[in-house]
Amino acid sequence: MSAPIFSNHGCRLNAYETEAMKELAAGAGLEAAVVVNTCAVTSEAVRKARQDIRRLRRDNPNARIIVTGCAAQTEPATFSSMPEVDAVIGNTEKMQADTWAGLAGDFGTEPVQVDDIMSVTETAGHLIDGFGTRSRAYVQVQNGCDHRCTFCIIPYGRGNSRSVPAGVVVDQIKRLVQRGYNEVVLTGVDLTSWGADLPGLPRLGDLVMRILRLVPDLPRLRISSIDSIEVDDNLMQAIATESRLMPHLHLSLQHGDDLILKRMKRRHLRDDAIAFTQEARRLRPDMTFGADIIAGFPTETEAHFENSLALVTDCDLTWLHVFPYSPRPGTPAARMPQVNGAAIKARAAQLRAAGDAQVARHLAGQVGRDHAVLMESPHMGRTEQFAEVAFDDPRPEGQIVPAHITGARDTRLIAA
């Protein structure tokens, strides 16, 4: 029999959990199965998951297909009704050893195992040894979200916000450093809400400072997507004083117009985003920013969109994740007046073009500079600001090497 095949969709947290599921499945002795970890962030993500399931069934006609992840949690009937699917597992169930023990035996009479995600009150610190490359490990410190943005289905897939205790996080990072990882990325669904459910109500900045203090051998700490309006004083202090905290922040901005932000039920306004990026860059002049921006949110006029487009330069954003809006059934935004599909596509293209111009500008500004580059493969690494760097001569994978930037090509820097 063969080991299970895993197909991951969506965010870094999903990818992290896929690695944890591999260990759970191996421990249970699961064989001859295909596990699809779905994403529900857009309707297109759900469509792609269904398409992937059909392809995987064609390629693996004798395997059992198990579907899990956010789309399985929010739309279990959608997947259980597919003839290709043998089992549907919720986001809580997929992290439980008992679930995999059952799947390795007999499916029995419960092909759908999806409980109420809102009843979950804890997030376990799944102790995996990192994934992707030997250079960078991801550590889940938080799951779920207490906010209810009008466009977002994710809280119904992930549940309310839960935090992994700081001691568990620190112990895992120590273990990863001992195994040779030179960079750790903290990840979660709503990372800046970390600690709100823990004794003493610590904040993300407290966790960052604690990690850097208690794991002095960790060369680089990176944090993934944050909500800038929730950033605390200790995180700003870490930005200002801790060189091991990487100068790259990905911001959940979503839009650049105040009226649309209110209709999205976001908690910040345009000026808040600009003020945060200016202050972070004042504290850390080499700071770069990525951002999520939605194009074509319901009721968005051309004037609203122009404010979003201008935000790219007003905040000096570099790495954009542009999402053409698509309605998610069950969300308030799906009931709002929708923007024409062609307009959404055109606006998304404009945002991507603005992002491409910002990347080119950032890369051009690095030519002639020196960087400490973390090697992801023998010929490619990333700067502190997460820009890709290409090398002609191989460097040791997983190591941090000095690099002098001699040029830029496409979306990469060239180093000597």
Side-chain angles (χ1 to χ4, degrees):
M1 300 292 283
S2 59
I5 297 168
F6 284 80
S7 176
N8 185 72
H9 294 245
C11 65
R12 283 290 184 183
L13 185 55
N14 249 21
Y16 180 98
E17 291 173 344
T18 292
E19 295 304 307
M21 284 191 288
K22 288 179 182 178
E23 294 196 356
L24 290 168
L30 180 67
E31 296 180 324
V34 174
V35 182
V36 183
N37 197 13
T38 63
C39 173
V41 69
T42 63
S43 298
E44 177 66 8
V46 177
R47 187 193 69 79
K48 286 183 177 179
R50 289 168 56 84
Q51 184 182 54
D52 194 33
I53 289 164
R54 289 189 287 266
R55 177 188 63 79
L56 287 164
R57 169 55 74 208
R58 291 193 299 271
D59 293 346
N60 303 274
N62 298 318
R64 296 180 293 178
I65 292 188
I66 302 162
V67 180
T68 187
C70 288
Q73 180 70 45
T74 57
E75 303 181 34
T78 296
F79 294 97
S80 64
S81 65
M82 294 180 68
E84 296 87 356
V85 173
D86 295 293
V88 179
I89 308 300
N91 264 338
T92 300
E93 291 77 11
K94 75 182 184 184
M95 294 287 101
Q96 296 172 346
D98 288 350
T99 301
W100 295 96
L103 291 170
D106 184 3
F107 278 99
T109 58
E110 293 188 62
V112 179
Q113 300 178 48
V114 181
D115 287 341
D116 178 12
I117 195 75
M118 295 302 176
S119 67
V120 180
T121 58
E122 294 182 357
T123 282
H126 304 291
L127 299 180
I128 65 170
D129 291 337
F131 64 93
T133 70
R134 283 293 309 157
S135 56
R136 181 178 296 108
Y138 292 80
V139 174
Q140 178 187 356
V141 303
Q142 185 274 339
N143 203 343
C145 185
D146 291 338
H147 310 301
R148 297 295 181 264
C149 298
T150 59
F151 55 84
C152 188
I153 198 73
I154 296 306
Y156 305 99
R158 288 285 178 179
N160 292 317
S161 182
R162 294 97 68 198
S163 308
V164 178
V168 175
V169 174
V170 168
D171 287 347
Q172 184 174 359
I173 292 174
K174 286 180 178 178
R175 193 170 71 105
L176 290 166
V177 171
Q178 290 170 358
R179 293 184 65 87
Y181 287 95
N182 282 320
E183 182 174 300
V184 166
V185 184
L186 304 183
T187 187
V189 174
D190 182 25
L191 197 57
T192 30
S193 71
W194 180 90
D197 57 327
L198 296 176
L201 305 180
R203 303 291 299 276
L204 180 62
D206 302 322
L207 178 63
V208 167
M209 296 293 269
R210 184 169 178 176
I211 291 167
L212 293 171
R213 184 177 74 253
L214 296 180
V215 196
D217 295 335
L218 172 67
R220 290 160 70 137
L221 180 66
R222 197 179 290 277
I223 54 180
S224 58
S225 182
I226 62 170
D227 198 336
S228 59
I229 201 68
E230 289 187 324
V231 169
D232 60 282
D233 291 343
N234 260 354
L235 186 53
M236 296 305 287
Q237 181 184 348
I239 289 170
T241 63
E242 296 287 351
S243 61
R244 290 185 293 147
L245 178 64
M246 292 297 94
H248 166 243
L249 296 172
H250 190 85
L251 309 178
S252 178
L253 297 183
Q254 310 305 346
H255 212 275
D257 183 88
D258 285 349
L259 180 60
I260 298 297
L261 287 167
K262 289 179 180 178
R263 288 174 177 166
M264 288 179 163
K265 210 173 177 181
R266 300 293 294 165
R267 286 155 296 125
H268 72 274
L269 298 175
R270 174 192 181 82
D271 285 348
D272 296 323
I274 295 171
F276 172 79
T277 55
Q278 289 176 343
E279 177 64 7
R281 194 171 277 113
R282 184 187 71 80
L283 296 172
R284 190 79 175 266
D286 59 344
M287 180 68 73
T288 62
F289 300 101
D292 296 328
I293 299 183
I294 295 173
F297 184 81
T299 76
E300 182 189 77
T301 65
E302 195 63 37
H304 296 148
F305 170 71
E306 289 297 329
N307 281 334
S308 238
L309 191 61
L311 192 71
V312 176
T313 50
D314 290 344
C315 288
D316 196 12
L317 305 174
T318 301
W319 319 108
L320 295 190
H321 289 177
V322 177
F323 295 89
Y325 175 79
S326 62
R328 303 297 287 117
T331 61
R335 300 189 295 272
M336 297 178 185
Q338 304 293 303
V339 175
N340 175 272
I344 293 175
K345 186 175 181 180
R347 291 171 187 176
Q350 282 185 265
L351 280 168
R352 291 189 180 110
D356 291 345
Q358 287 288 99
V359 170
R361 180 173 170 269
H362 171 71
L363 297 183
Q366 304 309 303
V367 176
R369 298 189 180 188
D370 295 319
H371 280 283
V373 174
L374 179 68
M375 299 304 297
E376 295 186 356
S377 67
H379 293 278
M380 196 280 286
R382 289 187 187 269
T383 67
E384 305 90 333
Q385 295 85 3
F386 214 61
E388 287 191 359
V389 183
F391 295 80
D392 286 335
D393 298 324
R395 305 293 200 274
E397 184 176 345
Q399 297 302 304
I400 298 172
V401 302
H404 181 72
I405 306 303
T406 59
R409 183 171 61 244
D410 299 325
T411 59
R412 284 184 174 181
L413 297 169
I414 308 300

